[in-house]
Amino acid sequence: MSVIVAVKVFGDTSVFTKSLTERGDEFRKIAEQGRQQGAVHHQFAVGDGFVLVNDEWETVEAFQKFFGNPEMRTFMGSVGADLSKAPEFTVGESVDSPDKF
């Protein structure tokens, strides 16, 4: 069964949102790497001083390997993440429910 992973990354959201268009090819390349390593679903949301990453992964271990790659940390810093603040993680096992859509 897959896992749902929510990651709250603190940083400069204006730098992040600008990078989504200016560095789109890099985001697409990383997304493809994620899919190859077990990502099922991926989406961003932007809040006041943070980016929320909402993912579904085949396993928590696959996510940890992907997210723990030092190149990922470097990329995050280059698109506005405040690397001095640790991201907040929430992980849960995905379950089916009658109201799922």
Side-chain angles (χ1 to χ4, degrees):
M1 186 154 284
S2 64
V3 293
I4 304 296
V5 181
V7 184
K8 187 175 186 179
V9 180
F10 301 94
D12 187 332
T13 57
S14 64
V15 171
F16 174 74
T17 54
K18 188 176 179 182
S19 73
L20 293 173
T21 53
E22 293 181 352
R23 298 176 65 181
D25 288 343
E26 292 173 79
F27 280 92
R28 284 186 280 280
K29 179 181 174 187
I30 292 168
E32 182 56 35
Q33 291 170 349
R35 283 191 287 275
Q36 291 173 359
Q37 295 179 39
V40 176
H41 173 80
H42 168 75
Q43 185 174 6
F44 289 120
V46 176
D48 185 15
F50 68 90
V51 173
L52 187 61
V53 182
N54 292 302
D55 281 2
E56 181 177 2
W57 282 78
E58 292 175 0
T59 65
V60 70
E61 293 82 12
F63 168 76
Q64 290 169 335
K65 181 179 178 184
F66 176 81
F67 197 81
N69 182 329
E71 291 177 12
M72 180 60 64
R73 184 169 172 80
T74 300
F75 178 74
M76 289 171 50
S78 75
V79 296
D82 181 350
L83 300 179
S84 71
K85 295 182 179 178
E88 295 176 2
F89 297 90
T90 303
V91 179
E93 186 176 313
S94 180
V95 297
D96 286 326
S97 64
D99 60 344
K100 184 178 179 181
F101 64 92

